[in-house]
Amino acid sequence: MATVRSKTQAVWLTLFAGALGLHRWWLGGPGRAWALLYPIPTGLGLYGVLRMRDLGLDDRLSWLLVPWLGLTLSVAALEAILTGLTPAPQWEARHGAGSGASHWGTVLGVIAALMAGATVLLGTLAFAGQKYFEWDATAAAAPLSAQNISVLKP
């Protein structure tokens, strides 16, 4: 018999600790193996945030690392939404009878996950897009200035 796991608790745990994979450990099952991989991109993203804090916004390695944190937080929010929207019979078959009812806590958790996930995802896309075009502009400006200097010389 599987241990009874509340859907409401699973939604909130996924929202707050999903980027580290703790929800997978708590729920058990075949997804537990994936929990070992969750901290890797989250840690890389946190390292990028620390690098950016210490070295400034011009550090290109942090430009590449910070979006990983945003993506893992967005994935955790998506998983919280999917957990909260799992039908009660399917949830009870996996996690015990009487555990699949959706209460106000579940609904509020799904709403919070939707708001947080959308905010983080859009922020991550805006940051990554801005840094990509800044990087592209600085790379394109260097050869142009060298060409302009060579044209001016007799």
Side-chain angles (χ1 to χ4, degrees), residues 97-113:
S99 63
S102 293
H103 304 287
W104 277 108
T106 309
V107 173
L108 293 175
V110 169
I111 292 169

Side-chain angles (χ1 to χ4, degrees), residues 45 49 63-75 116-132:
V49 169
W63 293 0
L64 296 173
L65 295 177
V66 169
W68 284 104
L69 178 62
L71 290 175
T72 56
L73 293 174
S74 298
V75 167
T119 302
V120 169
L121 182 61
L122 289 175
T124 300
L125 290 173
F127 175 82
Q130 176 186 355
K131 294 303 177 183
Y132 170 76

Side-chain angles (χ1 to χ4, degrees), residues 6-121:
S6 166
K7 189 182 347 181
T8 303
Q9 291 173 345
V11 167
W12 287 101
L13 181 65
T14 305
L15 181 60
F16 288 114
L20 296 173
L22 296 180
H23 65 294
R24 295 283 187 178
W25 285 104
W26 186 70
L27 289 173
R32 189 173 278 187
W34 287 105
L36 297 172
L37 300 176
Y38 278 69
I40 296 169
T42 304
L44 288 172
L46 286 173
Y47 176 67
V49 169
L50 294 175
R51 267 184 76 96
M52 189 171 285
R53 186 191 66 187
D54 293 340
L55 301 175
L57 293 173
D58 294 331
D59 180 41
R60 290 192 177 180
L61 181 59
S62 62
W63 293 0
L64 296 173
L65 295 177
V66 169
W68 284 104
L69 178 62
L71 290 175
T72 56
L73 293 174
S74 298
V75 167
L78 177 63
E79 287 191 55
I81 293 168
L82 294 176
T83 299
L85 296 178
T86 302
Q90 186 178 359
W91 183 268
E92 290 175 357
R94 287 186 200 160
H95 303 290
S99 63
S102 293
H103 304 287
W104 277 108
T106 309
V107 173
L108 293 175
V110 169
I111 292 169
L114 181 61
M115 291 184 344
T119 302
V120 169
L121 182 61

